[in-house]
Amino acid sequence: MPAEDDFTVTPYAVEGDVDYDRLLEQFGADALTDDQRAAFPDPVHPLVRREVFYAGRDVDAFLDAANAGETHSVVTGRGPSGPMHVGHVFPFYFAKYLQDRTGALVYVPVSDDEKYLLKDESVGAISDHARENLLDILAVGFDPERTRIVVDTADADVVYPLAVTFAKDVTQATVNATYGDPVNVGLSFYPAVQAAHLLLPQLVEGRHPTLVPVAVDQDPHVRVCRDVAAKRRYDVDKPGALLSKFLPSLDGPGKMSSSADAPGILLSDDREAVFEKVRTRAYSGGRSSVEAHRRRGGNPDVDVSYLLLYYFFEESDERVERLAREYREGSLLSGELKEIAAETVADFLEAHQERRASLGPLEAELPKFRLAEAERRNARRRAGFPDDSLAQQ
Ligand code: TRP
């Protein structure tokens, strides 16, 4: 098998051992530079500092606007395919960090259409996932003044007109080449819907830099959208992207979790469940016996307990570095590292769950985050729909 074919990354399939640098060449994105990392608001988020977000497109325009106090937005969405696990939530906490530090507008599109088209589940089941996922997203604590949530099928009065106009600039050949042949016509169209998500902040607020922090498998959507934006039929900048590596599944790095596998750590897991999963399932980079481990040390780079802490859950650099050192030296055992990781993840989830439990019902919470009538009108108008269109009657 030729070297460049031993992994596949598209929004619908991640297979093989992903070479993150080679992927950037394939996709045409750029590794983040030290200067770019340093331009993130202080203290620079661990996800950026530790290069989990490791690459991007047009990151500078976003950072310049953020640091100059000019309008800037972040789009981070959710495909409601089931309950959310810990890997799904970190872009939302990252968006919240930007909003808190620089006042970023945050747009959260929920692609219930996409997941209905992709999964063998009824619209009702997908809709139930969307409701549950929305409560988890609201638990992150976004500012309702600066955050807008759209659900594709529920906000069709704005999503659909935008998607239709963008769809005209996306050929079937582009979709096939970018995603592989779609399994139905709905998924052929969906890239135009996601382009609507990524341009929505500019269509609502006027032209400004947008950043899309996503796992690198979503970059094709950003590329398609940037091509649409580049056609200049609309007064928008190309959205920028901040691309992350994948949080490893419990089975180990390189093993992508898919819906077919047993779920990883869910946002709804209690302490006991977290400890049980980490103790029994988290892939260990330790040696097969305590003596061998003490003598020769373990490998934190493949150890899922360590990687959970490193990727997201342990904020202190000093602490992650010490854990890596002690693990390599053999003084920290695999079982001990697992307990530390489980404890840290469980603390995080407990705080998240408390925030979620303190929310009112979705019917009471969501309206604060929906687009106002004037915002819907602005978006449609900027996409070319006249104010006296039938949507207004
Ligand atoms: N397609 C994404 C997924 O499958 C969800 C999503 C929809 C999204 N719109 C988005 C992610 C916009 C980031 C930005 O998970």
Side-chain angles (χ1 to χ4, degrees), residues 286-309:
R287 301 282 172 179
S288 50
S289 72
V290 171
E291 297 74 56
H293 190 92
R294 292 245 188 257
R295 205 170 56 244
R296 298 169 58 207
N299 180 5
D301 300 334
V302 299
D303 190 289
V304 170
S305 302
Y306 176 76
L307 292 174
L308 284 167
L309 296 166

Side-chain angles (χ1 to χ4, degrees), residues 83 97 111:
Y97 144 86
S111 54

